[in-house]
Amino acid sequence: MTTTSTTTKPGGARVRVQRFGTFLSGMVMPNIPAFIAWGLITALFIETGWTPNAQLATLVAPILYFLLPLLIANTGGRMIYDQRGGVVATIATMGIIAATMGDPVFSGSPMFLGAMITGPIAAWLMKKVDSIWEGKIRAGFEMLVNNFSAGILGAILAIVAFFGLAPIIQAITTALGAAVNWLIDAGLLPLASILIEPAKVLFLNNAINHGVLTPLALQQSEETGKSVLFLLEANPGPGLGLLLAFSIFGLGAARATAPGAIIIQFFGGIHEIYFPYVLSKPILLLAVIAGGMSGVATNVIFDSGLVSVASPGSIFAILAVTARDSFLGVILSVLIAAAVSFVVASVILRASRKRDLAAGNAGDLSAAVAATQSAKGKNSSVLGGLVSEGTSDTGSATGTGTATLVKNIVFACDAGMGSSAMGASVLRNKIKKAGVTDVTVTNQSIANLTGDADLVITHQDLTDRAREKSPNSQHVSVDNFMNSPKYDEVVEIVKRNQGVTE
C-alpha cells in the first residue's frame, strides 16, 4: 500500500481528444434519464406514436429545446465551478436558445452544441470574476456581492450569446447536419463505421457521439419521430459477433471469458468489455467495422431508427426506444451486424491460430487489458482473472497508508460509471464478507472528486489526475479494477482500523 510508483503521464493528440470526449460525456451522461424520458414521451404521444395524444405531445418540444440543453449547460457549469458556475451557465445558454427559437432561419435546432460550449465558458468566466475580489469583500456584504455579480454577469453573457454566439453555433450545427444528410442521401452513411468503431476502442467516441451525433439525431427524431444516428455507436451487434467468435475459435483465457463478456456487453450494454479482445489482435478492427457498416446499412435500407438515446447500449435499452415502425429493421441490424462481425473475426482467429500457439500467446489478454485501461481508465469484471498483475499493480499513498483511518473509499475513473461501478461493487462485497461495517465504497468521475475521500482507487494512468483533484486522500493505483490484489490489502487495513478479527 505504501509503495510508491512512477506513473508516466500519457500525452499526445489522442489523450487530448480523449479528455475532450470525457468532458463532453460528463455533461451529457448524468442527464441521460432526461433524454430517455423525452424519448418515451415522444414514442408514446406524438402523432405517429403508440398512443397519440395531442395534449401530452406538447411536452415534446419544450423538453427538447429548453430542458435538455439547460440541463447540459448546468452540468457543464458545475463541472467548472460548482453550483455557482451551473447557474451562470444556464442563464447564458438561455440567450442562445432564445435567439435560435426567435429567428425563422435558425429555429428548429436544439442547442445541445451551444450548451456544451456556452455553459463551461460562462462558468469559467464566473470563476475568474469571483477571483478578482476574493477575500476583499467587507463582512456583511458577501451575499449582496455574490448574488449581483452572478446576476449581472449572467445577464451580460446571455445577451452576448443571443447576438454573438447563436449565429456561429447554429452555422456549425447546420453544416454538421448538412454533412450527415449528404451521407444519408448519398447512401454512404455505413462508411461512418470506419471512424466510429476504432474510435470506440480508443475511447474517442464520446466527442463524436455526444458532441455531434446526439444533437443531430434528436433534431431528426423531433421532426420525423426517429433517427438512425442513435444506432451508429450504440448497436451491440459488432461486439456480440466478435465475442461469439472468441467463444468458439479463441484461445486460452480469451476463449474462457468471452461467453461471460457477451452477457455484460449485449444485455448490460457495457461495450468496453470487448475492447481488450480487439486490442489483443488489432486486425480484428476489420471485424467490428464490417459489422458496424452492415448494421448501419440494414437500418438505412429499412428506414429504421430510435426515438431517443439508448444508453447504455444494451439490447433492452435499444428496444425500449425503438420507433414504432422500426422493430424489424433495428432487430435485423443487430443480428446482421453480429453475424458479419462473427464471420470476419472467425476467419481472422482461425487463420492466426497456429501462429499464436507457436508464439505462446494462448489467448493472454494482459497487455490488451492494460492498453484498454490506459485509454479508458476502467475495466470489466469478466476480465478480472486475465491479468497477472504482480509488481505492475502498484499502490501509492500520499499518507501513512496502514495507519490512516479509512472509512470513505472512492473508485474514480473518467466517466465515473460503467465498469468502475462494478469494481466498486467487488470491493464492497469483499468488505462486507470480511465483517466490516461503517465503510462506504462509491464510484465517481475524477472531475467530481471533492477531496473528502479517505482512499481513492484509480487506474495507474489516472492516479496523477486524481491526486490533483483530491490531494489529501490516500491513492492506490491498480492495473485491473476488477481483480486487484490491492483490494485484499484495503480490506485488511479497514479490518485493522475497526479491530475486526477472523
Side-chain angles (χ1 to χ4, degrees), residues 7-367:
T7 303
T8 303
K9 292 185 179 181
R14 190 189 76 176
V15 172
R16 288 192 292 271
V17 175
Q18 286 172 351
R19 292 194 178 191
F20 175 65
T22 298
F23 187 78
L24 292 178
S25 177
M27 284 189 278
V28 175
M29 291 301 290
N31 299 305
I32 287 297
F35 284 83
I36 293 175
W38 177 85
L40 294 175
I41 292 172
T42 302
L44 291 172
F45 302 125
I46 63 173
E47 187 176 348
T48 58
W50 290 96
T51 57
N53 185 303
Q55 284 184 306
L56 292 175
T58 59
L59 287 168
V60 172
I63 293 176
L64 178 64
Y65 291 105
F66 294 96
L67 177 62
L68 297 181
L70 292 177
L71 282 174
I72 291 173
N74 186 271
T75 303
R78 284 173 176 266
M79 291 170 66
I80 299 296
Y81 194 35
D82 298 327
Q83 182 176 354
R84 190 165 170 80
V87 171
V88 175
T90 304
I91 298 170
T93 301
M94 193 64 211
I96 286 185
I97 295 173
T100 54
M101 293 297 293
D103 192 319
V105 177
F106 294 148
S107 62
S109 298
M111 282 291 101
F112 297 103
L113 184 60
M116 290 178 176
I117 295 173
T118 307
I121 291 176
W124 180 81
L125 289 173
M126 184 72 260
K127 187 175 183 178
K128 291 300 179 183
V129 169
D130 280 351
S131 68
I132 295 174
W133 46 71
E134 184 177 0
K136 302 176 182 177
I137 304 173
R138 293 177 65 89
F141 288 86
E142 293 88 354
M143 183 177 294
L144 179 68
V145 173
N146 288 338
N147 286 347
F148 270 85
S149 62
I152 292 171
L153 180 63
I156 293 173
L157 292 177
I159 295 171
V160 172
F162 188 97
F163 290 107
L165 289 178
I168 297 173
I169 292 174
Q170 185 59 44
I172 295 173
T173 302
T174 301
L176 293 172
V180 172
N181 289 331
W182 178 82
L183 288 175
I184 295 174
D185 295 339
L188 300 177
L189 191 61
L191 295 180
S193 296
I194 296 175
L195 296 176
I196 291 174
E197 294 301 330
K200 288 175 69 173
V201 175
L202 297 175
F203 196 34
L204 305 177
N205 58 313
N206 285 315
I208 298 172
N209 192 33
H210 296 313
V212 179
L213 295 180
T214 294
L216 296 175
L218 286 167
Q219 183 178 346
Q220 286 186 359
S221 182
E222 198 269 340
E223 294 172 353
T224 65
K226 61 186 176 184
S227 176
V228 68
L229 301 182
F230 287 125
L231 279 165
L232 295 189
E233 191 265 346
N235 190 335
L240 172 63
L242 177 84
L243 293 172
L244 283 171
F246 269 98
S247 299
I248 299 173
F249 302 110
L251 297 171
R255 180 176 182 175
T257 57
I262 288 174
I263 296 174
I264 293 176
Q265 188 265 346
F266 190 66
F267 298 109
I270 302 176
H271 288 202
E272 60 261 30
I273 199 167
Y274 74 81
F275 299 169
Y277 294 82
V278 177
L279 291 174
S280 69
K281 194 178 295 292
I283 195 174
L284 287 171
L285 278 172
L286 297 177
V288 291
I289 289 173
M293 293 177 66
S294 301
V296 175
T298 302
N299 282 312
V300 171
I301 292 171
F302 282 85
D303 190 28
S304 53
L306 307 184
V307 297
S308 186
V309 178
S311 181
S314 161
I315 187 63
F316 298 128
I318 288 172
L319 293 177
V321 292
T322 296
R324 184 179 180 181
D325 61 352
S326 297
F327 279 94
L328 177 61
V330 169
I331 292 173
L332 281 177
S333 74
V334 175
L335 295 178
I336 291 174
V340 172
S341 179
F342 171 78
V343 170
V344 176
S346 298
V347 171
I348 293 172
L349 291 175
R350 291 280 292 176
S352 60
R353 188 180 184 89
K354 290 184 179 180
R355 184 170 62 251
D356 290 340
L357 287 171
N361 292 336
D364 182 18
L365 295 178
S366 300

Side-chain angles (χ1 to χ4, degrees), residues 1 384 389 393 395 402 406 409 411 423 426-434 436 441 455 457 476-478 480-497 500 502:
M1 279 288 290
E389 294 175 287
D393 183 13
T402 58
V406 176
I409 302 172
F411 278 73
V426 170
L427 181 58
R428 193 180 298 117
N429 290 333
K430 284 180 174 287
I431 290 176
K432 182 178 180 181
K433 290 179 181 179
V436 177
V441 183
L455 178 67
I457 301 176
V476 170
S477 304
V478 298
N480 186 338
F481 266 143
M482 303 313 303
N483 194 35
S484 172
K486 293 296 171 185
Y487 296 168
D488 293 327
E489 295 183 29
V490 172
V491 172
E492 289 301 317
I493 290 173
V494 295
K495 285 173 63 177
R496 286 196 296 270
N497 287 162
V500 176
E502 297 296 336

